Amino acid sequence: MRVDMEVAQFYHFCNLFDNENNLNYIAIKGAANTIGNAEEQLENSSIVIQNAIEKAIALL
């Protein structure tokens, strides 16, 4: 299993808030840049966040 640094905190808080293992969750993430092209993040972040929010709402 691979846990990226960006979602490690998410899993940590899931464990803190659910000490009886009854919590169901899903992580939605997207890439705002290709590998090695960090300068793409500013241009692409808003659409990646918008898509993630739309997917999260659809899953509710």
Side-chain angles (χ1 to χ4, degrees):
M1 180 173 140
R2 178 178 170 225
V3 177
D4 295 321
M5 292 302 294
E6 292 83 7
V7 295
Q9 300 90 335
F10 172 80
Y11 292 112
H12 172 73
F13 284 113
C14 287
N15 287 332
L16 282 180
F17 293 121
D18 182 36
N19 51 5
E20 296 181 18
N21 296 318
N22 294 320
L23 182 66
N24 293 311
Y25 55 85
I26 187 168
I28 299 170
K29 53 187 244 181
N33 63 290
T34 54
I35 295 174
N37 293 317
E39 67 278 358
E40 295 174 353
Q41 286 186 353
L42 288 177
E43 182 181 342
N44 299 327
S45 289
S46 62
I47 192 67
V48 171
I49 292 169
Q50 180 180 340
N51 288 338
I53 291 170
E54 290 173 1
K55 286 175 179 35
I57 290 170
L59 289 169
L60 288 177

